Structures are given as C-alpha cells and as structure tokens.
C-alpha cells in the first residue's frame, strides 16, 4: 500500500483491509513500540472543526516517531486563496503525506491528483473512510468479523453510512440501513453495495441486529435543514425501545459527536452495550496502521 491514496473505503481490497486491522491491533497492544515514521511529516488540512480526527492523527504521528502540521481554514482556504492543485504541489515538496478534512469530496480527489505523496480522506461530504476502518476494528474486537455480525445503521444515508457500506462489502458483513424515505444513501453507493438492505422501518431493520450504529441527523453544512430533519427522523431515534429489538448482547456505536436526545438517548449511549469510546480510541490505532502502510 506504500504511496497509495486513501480517499474511499473502496480503495482497499479485502486482503489490505484485513492487514490494516491486524496492524491496528498490534499497534494498539504496543502503543509506543513502533517508530516506523521517524522523520516523516504529515500535513493536516482542516476545513471543519475536529476533535477525534485532529487528535488521533497528530497523536498517531508522534507515537510513530513523526510529526504532524495542523493547517486551519485560515492557513489554507483550500481552493480560494490557492487552488487545490497548487496546495497539493507545494505540500508534496515539503511533507511525506497529506490528510484533509473537507466539505466537498472533489477537494480530496483534487489533492490526490496534484500531490506526489499519499493523500488521506479525513472526512468529506461523500465518505468518512478512516472512521469506518476504526469502526470495523471495534466490531472485530467485540463481535469478531468471521462471525459475520449483522450491522444496522439507523439514520441519514450520509458519508459515514457510505463508508460503512463499502467496508461491509469488503469484509462480507451483513448490513442494513434504516432511513426515512428520501434520505437513503447515494444511488451509486447503493448500486456498488447491492447486498446492503435499505429499509424505511427502523424496527424491522434493527430486529436481530448484532451492532446498532447511528449518527447525527444533520451533518456540518446542513444546519439550515436541522429543524426539518429533526421532525423527519424523530421515529428513528435509537432509544431503549428500539434497542430492545436487537439481540440482547448487541453493541451500540456512534462516530461522535452525538446530539443526545436527538438521534440517541443517554440511556443507550451511556448504557452497558455502548462501545463509543472504544470506537473513538480505535481512530488512533486504525489510522496509525494506515499511516504506516501508506508512508512507511
């Protein structure tokens, strides 16, 4: 994988995905034992606020012996102060890799086209592949992927949902998506993942689930539709009544930040089946595995 870009969860095959999870597990067990990126530098471009993405990538680079440079919207103004291609070309002469957390997916595609170093999609409006990689590490730890646990995503067919669909295909894990009519995943992603069931009834979708996953109803950039979405998604709240339809030992996942009282209740996110902090921690380990694979 050295030198590859990671823009989509579809960019890795099943063998590469399994190797990344194995590497993530080893790096988690020996957090400070790998200095594979000594002397390497990662440029981190941010158009959106971040807690987990910034801290996990920056900490990961430090633990691997390297360094990360945070570039805020004021530093870059990607595509405004300078073209995406010019930013990519300049950074390629100075750093060993680029991670970008952006609004439009076309920007990470443009960075990859203009860069001579690996580019990682830290989040775009189309996908969140690093999150999905950490999510499947978490599922593997709690349920075992070989057992083919049923994953159910409840809510908006958004970027997180898209990347989960693609990795569910890669790992051959059954997946269902429960969303209101009109909020289904992107048609092209649905066509690429025909085994993923799209269901408009949350109870039917969650019944018998091993893993129940949700996300905010309005992502960053969709604030103007938040009130409308709150009405539309009200019956898709993951609460104790909905979780009762899943298997008794089902786990609950959320990529965070959570809007408590909207897409999930306190009783669920703070309950015994919640693994959201394991999931957040695994961003660090899964991304370290990715960084070593691409930049090592």
């Amino acid at each position: 994988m050295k030198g590859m870009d990671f823009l989509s969860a579809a960019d890795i095959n099943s063998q590469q995905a399994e190797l990344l999870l194995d590497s993530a597990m080893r790096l988690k067990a020996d957090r400070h034992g790998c200095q594979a990126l000594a002397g390497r530098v990662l440029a981190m471009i941010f158009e959106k606020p971040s807690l987990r993405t910034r801290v996990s990538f920056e900490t990961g680079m430090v633990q691997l012996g390297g360094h990360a440079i945070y570039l805020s919207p004021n530093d870059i103004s990607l595509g405004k102060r300078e073209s995406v291609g010019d930013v990519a070309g300049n950074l390629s002469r100075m750093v060993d890799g680029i991670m970008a957390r952006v609004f439009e997916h076309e920007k990470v595609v443009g960075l990859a086209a203009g860069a001579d170093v690996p580019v990682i999609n830290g989040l775009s409006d189309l996908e969140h592949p690093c999150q999905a990689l950490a999510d499947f590490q978490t599922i593997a730890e709690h349920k075992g992927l070989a057992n083919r646990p049923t994953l159910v995503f409840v809510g908006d067919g958004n970027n997180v949902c898209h990347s989960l669909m693609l990795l569910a295909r890669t790992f051959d894990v059954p997946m269902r998506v429960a969303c209101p009519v009109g909020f289904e995943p992107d048609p092209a992603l649905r066509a690429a993942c025909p085994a993923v069931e799209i269901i408009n009834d949350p109870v039917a979708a969650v019944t018998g689930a091993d893993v129940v996953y949700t996300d905010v109803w309005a992502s960053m950039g969709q604030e103007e539709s938040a009130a409308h979405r709150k009405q539309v998604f009200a019956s898709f709240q993951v609460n104790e009544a909905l979780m009762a339809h899943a298997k008794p030992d089902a786990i609950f996942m959320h990529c965070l930040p959570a809007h408590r009282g909207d897409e999930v209740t306190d009783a669920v996110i703070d309950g015994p089946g919640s693994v959201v902090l394991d999931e957040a921690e695994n961003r660090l380990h899964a991304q370290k595995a990715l960084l070593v694979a691409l930049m090592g």
Side-chain angles (χ1 to χ4, degrees), residues 176-200:
R176 300 194 287 264
V177 176
C179 51
V181 174
F183 293 88
E184 294 89 356
D186 180 84
L189 269 295
R190 293 177 65 178
C193 304
V196 175
E197 295 183 74
I198 310 298
I199 302 173
N200 301 122

Side-chain angles (χ1 to χ4, degrees), residues 2-261:
K2 186 172 182 179
M4 281 179 50
D5 298 314
F6 187 61
L7 310 184
S8 165
D11 289 342
I12 54 174
N13 59 34
S14 58
Q15 182 182 21
Q16 291 167 330
E18 289 171 6
L19 288 172
L20 283 172
L21 290 199
D22 288 343
S23 177
M25 301 286 196
R26 290 196 302 272
L27 289 165
K28 185 174 184 177
D30 187 12
R31 185 173 296 213
H32 300 282
C34 177
Q35 296 287 295
L37 297 185
R40 304 286 207 282
V41 178
L42 176 72
M44 306 190 303
I45 298 173
F46 283 85
E47 289 190 329
K48 295 182 175 185
S50 171
L51 170 62
R52 282 152 295 277
T53 298
R54 179 179 177 181
V55 175
S56 57
F57 270 108
E58 193 162 342
T59 300
M61 284 299 295
V62 171
Q63 291 182 356
L64 292 167
H67 181 71
I69 300 173
Y70 171 73
L71 298 167
S72 74
N74 292 333
D75 296 318
I76 296 288
S77 295
L78 194 63
K80 296 177 183 177
R81 181 172 176 268
E82 279 187 89
S83 72
V84 173
D86 283 349
V87 169
N90 277 266
L91 288 176
S92 293
R93 298 297 184 96
M94 304 176 195
V95 303
D96 304 285
I98 300 168
M99 186 282 298
R101 179 178 170 90
V102 300
F103 285 96
E104 298 88 1
H105 187 75
E106 291 75 16
K107 288 182 178 176
V108 290
V109 174
L111 284 169
D116 296 323
V117 296
V119 173
I120 298 170
N121 179 2
L123 177 141
S124 69
D125 59 359
L126 183 64
E127 279 203 55
H128 199 350
C130 292
Q131 179 67 55
L133 196 61
D135 291 337
F136 272 87
Q137 180 185 348
T138 309
I139 295 169
E141 289 173 344
H142 287 273
K143 293 296 179 182
L145 296 181
N147 298 325
R148 301 187 74 242
T150 298
L151 165 63
V152 178
F153 182 92
V154 181
D156 186 25
N158 61 10
N159 50 2
V160 173
C161 179
H162 292 159
S163 291
L164 288 171
M165 289 169 61
L166 289 167
L167 278 191
R169 181 187 66 179
T170 299
F171 285 112
D172 191 27
V173 166
M175 182 173 175
R176 300 194 287 264
V177 176
C179 51
V181 174
F183 293 88
E184 294 89 356
D186 180 84
L189 269 295
R190 293 177 65 178
C193 304
V196 175
E197 295 183 74
I198 310 298
I199 302 173
N200 301 122
D201 179 354
V203 172
V206 167
T207 298
D210 296 286
V211 182
V212 179
Y213 195 123
T214 195
D215 191 8
V216 295
W217 293 334
S219 299
M220 281 179 279
Q222 297 176 330
E223 289 81 4
E224 73 286 345
S225 64
H228 171 65
R229 285 169 172 264
K230 191 169 184 176
Q231 293 179 332
V232 173
F233 283 91
S235 63
F236 287 78
Q237 182 187 71
V238 180
N239 49 38
E240 288 179 293
L242 185 61
M243 286 295 295
H245 295 279
K247 289 182 180 177
D249 62 347
I251 58 173
F252 171 75
M253 301 179 70
H254 192 305
C255 56
L256 303 178
H259 293 170
R260 291 166 176 259

